[in-house]
Amino acid sequence: MRPLTAVHLPAIRDTLVENQRRALRYAQELRATTTDPRVVELIEYQLSNDVQDLARTDLWWITADMTKLVWHTATKSEVLPDWTPDAAQRDGLIVWENGIPLEIELPVDDARGLSAAGLTGPPMKTVQVAGISWHIDGDDRRLAYFTADPRMTVGSDEGRWVTPWVTAPAPLAPIPRPKPQPEIDALVMRLLAATMLISAEPTVATTRPASWARDVPAKSRRSKEVPAVKVIALREVPAPRSAHEHGDSDREYTHRWIVKDHTRTYWTGPGSTVKEERWIAPYVAGPEHLPLLVKETVRIWRR
């Protein structure tokens, strides 16, 4: 099974699409032969997903430190501006490195209770969100959620759930969400907005193609870029002057920290008479070699 890295996203996306197509065909066949409401629930979930949306999406990979920054902004900011996607942002598959602190409750506790559909495995209550695919067309907004939990991903050593329609291994698995969950969708749309808004700030973020040399954990001899995947990372900034430079020998930097976003008042127009409030994006401060520490709370959404 391919690892979950930025350079492998195109192949992972293609595998997800093919697995969804298999699931759709199986669901259509099963629908005519069962009355089990739990199985029908799964079928309706599969039928509600537009495979073509995922097949044509752009691919985004958000590095670990940038993930911390956008999650902190989405959950803490009081001044995050509205985000209107441009033509290149209306569809996409985005993966946040190491996932986000959001767990979603699965439809049922007894291994989905779908043994009639061919699913077996240990009971699971929640899974962590690693990525989403989205489609935005005016007021039409569709989200699909994915996890990298090895208990759910096909082909992993820990995987125990067996589906009769999926044969291709993938390090991402769709999270079943048969019912609308507006609270989760609202939070994730806010996270998506924070990701896109901050990625457009050249003083905070950099956007580059995925690279075998930079994005594969093990050293790779390949230097080829993967332009189909946009990697969003923190821009490297000069470290602040150390305490020693100020004559304070007792002070040492031990970590990096997030400076929250805020608004700033500017006076523009003729004679500087027009008051304008501008959003100042959040950023990370502190020496680059130190860890980014953020106090995070995992959110678990239950029905």
Side-chain angles (χ1 to χ4, degrees):
M1 180 172 67
R2 288 184 172 87
L4 182 57
T5 66
V7 296
H8 292 103
L9 270 189
I12 292 170
R13 187 265 310 275
D14 293 345
T15 301
L16 288 171
V17 169
E18 182 56 33
N19 286 343
Q20 282 194 345
R21 285 173 175 158
R22 290 193 184 104
L24 184 58
R25 289 194 294 269
Y26 180 85
Q28 290 169 333
E29 294 172 1
L30 191 62
R31 191 176 197 177
T33 62
T34 183
T35 58
D36 188 324
R38 294 171 299 179
V39 177
V40 172
E41 182 181 56
L42 172 66
I43 294 170
E44 293 298 335
Y45 164 74
Q46 295 292 350
L47 293 177
S48 67
N49 283 276
D50 187 351
V51 176
Q52 298 307 317
D53 283 351
L54 184 58
R56 64 171 180 259
T57 56
D58 290 331
L59 302 172
W60 305 74
W61 178 272
I62 313 303
T63 61
D65 283 347
M66 179 59 75
T67 297
K68 292 180 181 179
L69 178 60
V70 297
W71 175 261
H72 184 273
T73 303
T75 56
K76 303 294 185 182
S77 174
E78 298 177 355
V79 294
L80 186 69
D82 293 334
W83 168 65
T84 301
D86 58 30
Q89 298 172 339
R90 290 173 187 163
D91 300 275
L93 170 64
I94 192 169
V95 176
W96 293 280
E97 187 175 6
N98 300 330
I100 56 176
L102 172 64
E103 293 186 357
I104 295 181
E105 186 181 29
L106 295 172
V108 292
D109 293 338
D110 56 342
R112 293 191 203 172
L114 293 170
S115 58
L119 296 173
T120 61
M124 291 178 61
K125 292 186 177 181
T126 64
V127 290
Q128 181 187 10
V129 175
I132 65 165
S133 64
W134 75 92
H135 172 75
I136 302 174
D137 186 5
D139 293 334
D140 179 21
R141 299 186 176 188
R142 295 194 295 274
L143 296 170
Y145 290 66
F146 298 90
T147 183
D149 191 315
R151 296 170 299 174
M152 289 189 68
T153 55
V154 178
S156 71
D157 293 336
E158 298 182 38
R160 296 293 183 272
W161 289 6
V162 180
T163 57
W165 57 77
V166 175
T167 58
L172 282 178
I175 300 175
R177 295 197 318 140
K179 299 177 182 178
Q181 296 170 294
E183 296 91 349
I184 298 178
D185 289 348
L187 172 61
V188 171
M189 283 300 302
R190 186 173 169 85
L191 176 62
L192 182 58
T195 301
M196 294 303 176
L197 288 169
I198 294 174
S199 71
E201 295 291 328
T203 60
V204 180
T206 61
T207 302
R208 60 171 176 81
S211 165
W212 282 88
R214 301 179 66 175
D215 297 313
V216 177
K219 291 183 179 179
S220 175
R221 296 180 180 178
R222 303 172 66 177
S223 59
K224 183 178 179 181
E225 291 185 342
V226 183
V229 183
K230 300 175 185 177
V231 175
I232 310 299
L234 289 176
R235 176 173 291 280
E236 296 181 357
V237 296
R241 289 192 299 169
S242 69
H244 298 290
E245 294 176 357
H246 291 282
D248 183 0
S249 60
D250 296 329
R251 184 180 176 187
E252 291 284 348
Y253 289 110
T254 60
H255 61 275
R256 290 178 296 157
W257 62 94
I258 291 177
V259 179
K260 288 183 63 176
D261 61 333
H262 56 280
T263 58
R264 183 176 296 166
T265 301
Y266 290 86
W267 293 92
T268 63
S272 299
T273 57
V274 179
K275 184 178 181 181
E276 180 180 328
E277 298 289 335
R278 297 180 186 175
W279 181 65
I280 307 301
Y283 62 93
V284 172
E288 296 171 14
H289 66 282
L290 295 178
L292 172 58
L293 297 185
V294 181
K295 187 175 181 180
E296 294 176 341
T297 301
V298 176
R299 299 195 179 194
I300 301 177
W301 292 87
R302 304 187 183 278
R303 288 168 180 77

